[in-house]
């Protein structure tokens, strides 16, 4: 595994999320993934995909700007500006943990706020 392999995997996941590419996201998820944010907690690939599909259905467009990233051995933290339907702006930190095979085993998302 290259030094920045997980960062590239994380950025690819975020690009697929913004494109609402559920099949692409499915390829990134480990079978026992844990997905947690300020509203939900689910375990398992199928449950995580269902929650992701709900988010896609609720939004016409999703834009993700990566503001900064930090990586260690098996985790990437990404500070994001997410714009939903060109009007709702969310500042989020995703902490994405990977298996040794490079699959996403956990996503923990934390809602922040902008400067306003």
């Amino acid at each position: 595994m290259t030094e920045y392999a997980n960062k590239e995997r994380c950025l690819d996941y975020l690009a697929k999320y913004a494109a609402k590419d559920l099949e692409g996201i499915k390829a990134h998820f480990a079978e026992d993934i844990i997905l947690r944010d300020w509203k939900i907690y689910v375990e398992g690939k199928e449950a995580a995909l269902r929650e992701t599909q709900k988010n896609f259905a609720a939004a016409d467009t999703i834009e993700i700007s990566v503001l900064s990233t930090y990586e260690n051995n098996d985790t990437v933290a990404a500070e994001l500006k997410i714009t939903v339907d060109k009007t709702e702006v969310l500042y989020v930190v995703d902490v994405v943990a990977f298996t040794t095979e490079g699959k996403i085993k956990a996503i923990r998302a934390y809602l922040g706020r902008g400067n306003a």
Side-chain angles (χ1 to χ4, degrees):
M1 195 178 312
T2 63
E3 184 178 347
Y4 296 105
N6 287 334
K7 178 180 174 183
E8 296 307 315
R9 288 182 182 103
C10 180
L11 295 175
D12 187 64
Y13 160 76
L14 293 170
K16 286 179 173 33
Y17 198 98
K20 297 170 62 169
D21 177 359
L22 196 63
E23 284 302 310
I25 288 171
K26 182 178 182 178
H28 278 287
F29 283 178
E31 290 300 320
D32 58 348
I33 187 172
I34 293 171
L35 180 62
R36 181 184 78 199
D37 68 16
W38 54 97
K39 292 183 183 179
I40 59 101
Y41 175 90
V42 296
E43 294 183 28
K45 189 174 193 173
E46 293 307 314
L49 289 170
R50 278 192 301 274
E51 287 300 323
T52 302
Q53 180 57 45
K54 285 180 192 176
N55 288 344
F56 290 172
D60 289 328
T61 62
I62 302 170
E63 299 171 36
I64 300 175
S65 298
V66 179
L67 304 177
S68 64
T69 60
Y70 170 81
E71 180 178 14
N72 70 12
N73 292 336
D74 68 350
T75 305
V76 177
E79 181 185 7
L80 311 172
K81 177 183 176 186
I82 302 172
T83 306
V84 180
D85 294 334
K86 301 193 185 316
T87 58
E88 182 182 4
V89 178
L90 304 169
Y91 289 89
V92 175
V93 173
D94 276 359
V95 178
V96 184
F98 292 86
T99 66
T100 55
E101 296 80 25
K103 298 290 184 178
I104 298 173
K105 66 181 179 181
I107 302 172
R108 296 178 308 277
Y110 301 91
L111 184 62
R113 55 178 282 171
N115 295 336

